[in-house]
Amino acid sequence: MRINKYIASCGVASRRKAEELILNKKVKVNGKIVEELSLQIDENNDVVEVDGVKISTSENTVYILLNKPEGYITTVKDQFDRPSVIDILSSVSERVYPVGRLDYETSGLLLLTNDGDLTYKLTHPKHEIDKTYVARVKGKLTEEEISNFRQGLYIEDYKTAPAKLRVIKYDNVQDVSMLEIKIHEGKNRQVRKMCKAINHPVLRLKRVALGKINLNDLKIGEYRHLTNEELNYLKNI
């Protein structure tokens, strides 16, 4: 089996993300760093590690919804030894991996699973699944800024896709605004960069929904398994 397909089958990442892990020298087979994307492995005999963690295929597929607290990374290992969201899942015996990422400073909805095919589907740009955030930002937005945000903004070397923005309220005393923001892309720190681009830096950020999947009354730091209805919805997007 090709190495990127094996990594996906273990639920670690999509095949595309698996290739990125290989190029970043995060993958070892039998103790040696993988140099070739086309490497074929024997899933029954070869020992595969990602970020120093041994991986294997799992018979039981699990689907977890976590209300991520601030101050947790969404990778398995971290060079600064910061806590990982994996540390929160004390009662989950299967090895699961985040579907996409949330910034260290960002809280809210995060899916975790060992279903590589679903991970690939949910992270592939063609599906354009809305990710809904509530952002607390500095200042009061003008109509022009709101319009520019909705049309897409130039950030670094790319222009973001059209996004949705709604002002929930403005606090005149503190000079801060609460915003509901919906994007379907998953660029690194995209919401923060978009708000900064219109001169309203993010003070707090929380993801509250992925498509029709919502946190509802799930408390910060708590997690639960997806319902059959939620899982069917994600698989049929």
Side-chain angles (χ1 to χ4, degrees):
M1 182 185 296
R2 186 169 168 142
I3 182 64
N4 67 333
K5 182 178 180 180
Y6 179 77
I7 293 172
S9 70
C10 293
V12 177
S14 67
R15 296 188 193 185
R16 179 167 53 87
K17 289 294 184 182
E19 290 185 350
E20 290 181 16
L21 290 169
I22 294 167
L23 292 172
N24 290 324
K25 301 188 183 301
K26 300 286 188 180
V27 180
K28 290 182 179 180
V29 174
N30 300 326
K32 295 182 179 180
I33 294 175
V34 176
E35 303 283 353
E36 298 181 5
L37 296 176
S38 60
L39 179 69
Q40 298 287 325
I41 68 159
D42 180 345
E43 59 265 36
N44 295 317
N45 295 307
D46 289 331
V47 176
V48 180
E49 297 173 78
V50 175
D51 268 340
V53 178
K54 182 180 176 182
I55 65 172
S56 61
T57 54
S58 174
E59 293 182 0
N60 299 318
T61 51
V62 292
Y63 307 88
I64 304 295
L65 188 156
L66 167 69
N67 189 345
K68 174 191 173 297
E70 295 176 6
Y72 283 78
I73 60 168
T74 52
T75 51
V76 177
K77 286 184 65 178
D78 177 60
Q79 60 177 326
F80 304 111
D81 290 325
R82 294 174 296 181
S84 166
V85 291
I86 303 300
D87 300 329
I88 301 174
L89 308 182
S90 57
S91 66
V92 179
S93 58
E94 295 85 358
R95 189 180 299 279
V96 294
Y97 298 86
V99 178
R101 295 185 177 182
L102 279 183
D103 297 333
Y104 179 72
E105 307 96 334
T106 301
S107 64
L109 188 152
L110 181 69
L111 298 182
L112 301 101
T113 184
N114 53 5
D115 185 336
D117 290 334
L118 184 62
T119 297
Y120 175 78
K121 180 177 182 179
L122 296 180
T123 55
H124 198 286
K126 74 176 182 180
H127 292 292
E128 298 189 352
I129 305 169
D130 274 346
K131 304 174 183 71
T132 305
Y133 296 82
V134 172
R136 186 172 186 262
V137 305
K138 186 66 178 175
K140 184 177 183 179
L141 280 68
T142 66
E143 289 301 321
E144 182 180 6
E145 289 167 340
I146 293 171
S147 177
N148 290 340
F149 192 101
R150 289 172 174 168
Q151 292 176 38
L153 300 165
Y154 284 98
I155 297 176
E156 298 169 350
D157 59 346
Y158 67 93
K159 183 179 181 180
T160 64
K164 299 174 184 176
L165 185 150
R166 179 175 67 88
V167 178
I168 299 172
K169 65 179 179 179
Y170 170 68
D171 186 326
N172 185 58
V173 176
Q174 299 187 50
D175 189 30
V176 296
S177 297
M178 294 293 292
L179 311 176
E180 181 188 76
I181 296 169
K182 293 187 179 185
I183 63 172
H184 61 254
E185 297 173 295
K187 303 285 189 180
N188 182 42
R189 299 175 67 85
Q190 182 174 335
V191 172
R192 293 179 183 274
K193 291 176 180 177
M194 291 180 74
C195 291
K196 184 177 180 180
I198 59 170
N199 300 312
H200 294 281
V202 168
L203 303 173
R204 298 289 292 273
L205 185 63
K206 181 173 186 175
R207 184 160 69 191
V208 296
L210 177 67
K212 296 179 180 179
I213 308 296
N214 298 283
L215 285 174
N216 293 325
D217 58 354
L218 190 67
K219 295 180 181 179
I220 194 78
E222 292 185 346
Y223 60 93
R224 63 172 175 80
H225 291 266
L226 292 183
T227 65
N228 289 334
E229 183 179 358
E230 290 170 330
L231 185 55
N232 289 333
Y233 160 71
L234 291 175
K235 289 188 173 184
N236 288 286
I237 288 176

